[in-house]
Amino acid sequence: MWTPVALSRDVPPLVVLPVVAGGRELALWRSASGRIAAWADRCPHRGMRLSHGFVRGEALSCIYHGWSYGAAGNCLRIPAHPDLEPPETIRVAVHVAAEAGGLIWVAPSAPEAPPPDPGALQPLRSLTVEAGTAAVLSLAGLAGDTLARGHLAGVEVTVAVQPIGPARCALHVLTGAAGAAERIALSRELDALRRRAEAGEMAA
Amino acid sequence: MILYDYVLSPDCYKVRLLAALTGAKITLRAVDFHPGAEHRKPEFLKINPAGTIPVMEEDGLVLTDSSAILTYVAAKAGPEWLGDDDARMRARVAQWLAFAQRLSASIGKARTHDMLQKPADIDACRAGGIQCLREIEAALVEQDILGARFLAGDRPTLADIACFPHSMLAPDGGISVDAYPAIRLWTRRIRALPGFVEMPGIHRLHDLKPEPAKA
């Protein structure tokens, strides 16, 4: 089961950030060469959040003691023991991350099907709403679940929905609208939608 | 220029940051804000009767507002930071300097409540802080649509310096910054500026530094 966690555009090389997918806290990061990865947000050494860490080249390093981890989640280097070859058993739990249509998707293990592709659209923005997924989508008049489609502010939108909790979700919004005025109006409409959803307004 | 300074204060850090970015020479005079409450002592009140920091003093001029101090440092050492390119940019800078007061009153208060046990209506401070962060995020999204990477235009100005510290330090006051992708990228751009300096809670971009050599 794929979960959308970010717009590709918002995670350029060398960025790491925390995301939630399927109830799990993950560190989402992109290497210098552009490889995207989603790992358990916990350093095997002392449990520090890896999303507080930093990316250098193709490795993610923990901010606490600098332990760094390579593409397979294997420990590459322990700065306090520079001559030690880190044992194979020191590994971060790795999830599957993939990109399609300007979105980053993650799954706990490789699903049979590739992630949904929304088609050729432009990313607009992601925003987190303190309300449940179903309430937000029905209030917005959007149809679908993981990829919901409809119209907002007079333009066609596709929204990849990331459930974060029973009363929290993130919307990753794509649109075919190219004009600056249309895109700004849509962004403002999304803020208005969030205000209405968080005020408890229900779809008519 | 003498800056009456406290290392953990975001409003003092703004001034240190701008001075570092512009090459302005400032002399720091540490104020024992906590636990000594030196800013409430008679000697300090002679300089600033309001008992607040930062304060900047130079040749009889005493400035007690962080936005005024930023304006003074920029005018002297880096006029491009004033953002005076055109009417719109100038007004945007003024607006974000005013907005920074709301950051201090929400995130700033939540932070001193959590870190220094100062009294505050913590729920109201956090709600106000989230509202401020959402406004910055929405503004950065619109700026990006218009092809500008910073709050007042396509280059950094006082607007960014005024709003950057509290946007980074919100977690100190129990306010998450995880949900703001535009803010994340904007703060990275500021942290990548040549001459950038740190404060506790705001570190440089380690990924821009080479790997330390093996011993």
Side-chain angles (χ1 to χ4, degrees):
Chain A
M1 175 72 181
W2 293 102
T3 304
V5 291
L7 295 170
S8 296
R9 191 261 319 257
D10 285 335
V11 191
L14 308 184
V15 165
V16 56
L17 67 148
V19 299
V20 173
R24 291 169 199 269
E25 296 182 330
L26 306 175
L28 180 71
W29 64 284
R30 194 187 295 278
S31 75
S33 73
R35 197 178 50 81
I36 197 81
W39 293 355
D41 196 3
R42 185 182 185 286
C43 180
H45 177 219
R46 291 289 180 199
M48 176 59 118
R49 285 183 183 278
L50 286 169
S51 58
H52 287 316
F54 55 95
V55 183
R56 221 181 238 144
E58 300 304 302
L60 176 63
S61 296
C62 180
I63 195 72
Y64 200 10
H65 299 97
W67 291 30
S68 63
Y69 302 90
N74 54 309
C75 186
L76 298 173
R77 183 167 175 263
I78 298 174
H81 299 279
D83 298 324
L84 177 75
E85 177 104 2
E88 268 293 309
T89 48
I90 305 178
R91 266 177 190 273
V92 186
V94 173
H95 290 238
V96 180
E99 293 183 87
L103 290 160
I104 300 171
W105 303 81
V106 304
S109 56
E112 289 180 4
D117 189 340
L121 296 168
Q122 293 301 311
L124 183 80
R125 66 180 292 198
S126 296
L127 73 170
T128 300
V129 183
E130 303 297 331
T133 306
V136 175
L137 289 184
S138 66
L139 190 59
L142 300 173
D145 39 46
T146 306
L147 276 184
R149 295 174 198 269
H151 287 79
L152 284 174
V155 298
E156 252 183 85
V157 291
T158 295
V159 178
V161 184
Q162 175 190 5
I164 298 178
R168 177 180 291 174
C169 62
L171 309 179
H172 307 288
V173 182
L174 305 153
T175 177
E182 277 180 306
R183 291 171 66 80
I184 287 173
L186 176 54
S187 176
R188 292 180 184 179
E189 183 64 24
L190 290 164
D191 281 315
L193 171 66
R194 175 164 62 188
R195 277 191 293 276
R196 290 165 59 208
E198 292 182 353
E201 193 180 320
M202 306 296 277
Chain B
M1 290 185 273
I2 298 168
L3 177 68
Y4 291 82
D5 180 48
Y6 179 57
V7 69
L8 294 178
S9 155
D11 286 314
C12 294
Y13 167 67
K14 289 172 195 177
V15 182
R16 299 196 300 273
L17 176 59
L18 181 66
L21 293 169
T22 58
K25 295 279 176 287
I26 56 171
T27 304
L28 298 182
R29 158 74 169 77
V31 176
D32 180 13
F33 180 83
H34 184 84
E38 189 186 348
H39 59 300
R40 302 286 187 197
K41 299 265 168 73
E43 283 308 303
F44 189 84
L45 295 175
K46 279 187 205 164
I47 303 161
N48 177 14
T52 58
I53 50 166
V55 174
M56 178 160 277
E57 205 178 18
E58 186 172 57
D59 299 333
L61 174 71
V62 179
L63 299 170
T64 58
D65 172 84
S66 65
S67 294
I69 297 171
L70 291 178
T71 302
Y72 183 65
V73 172
K76 285 197 72 166
E80 69 278 12
W81 287 86
L82 296 168
D84 278 348
D85 290 8
D86 57 33
R88 294 174 76 97
M89 191 181 207
R90 191 169 183 161
R92 281 203 179 104
V93 171
Q95 183 151 282
W96 286 115
L97 288 174
F99 181 91
Q101 307 282 349
R102 285 175 54 203
L103 288 170
S104 297
S106 55
I107 294 172
K109 275 206 157 67
R111 199 169 160 270
T112 54
H113 173 274
D114 283 13
M115 294 178 76
L116 307 177
Q117 292 79 50
K118 303 276 183 196
D121 178 345
I122 188 64
D123 293 338
C125 289
R126 288 183 184 146
I130 290 167
Q131 176 59 27
C132 285
L133 292 173
R134 287 178 169 189
E135 289 180 36
I136 295 174
E137 174 79 11
L140 288 167
V141 166
E142 293 193 12
Q143 285 292 90
D144 179 68
I145 290 169
L146 297 169
R149 292 165 300 151
F150 294 92
L151 284 173
D154 198 29
R155 62 178 171 81
T157 64
L158 295 188
D160 305 287
I161 301 298
C163 296
F164 164 75
H166 284 105
S167 301
M168 287 290 295
L169 296 167
D172 288 349
I175 300 163
S176 170
V177 292
D178 294 348
Y180 310 101
I183 291 178
R184 177 177 298 110
L185 296 179
W186 166 69
T187 56
R188 282 182 62 87
R189 286 194 280 276
I190 294 168
R191 291 153 76 203
L193 292 172
F196 177 82
V197 291
E198 303 179 318
M199 74 164 270
I202 304 181
H203 59 75
R204 68 182 188 275
L205 292 175
H206 294 282
D207 39 86
L208 296 182
K209 303 278 175 183
E211 180 115 28
K214 272 194 176 185

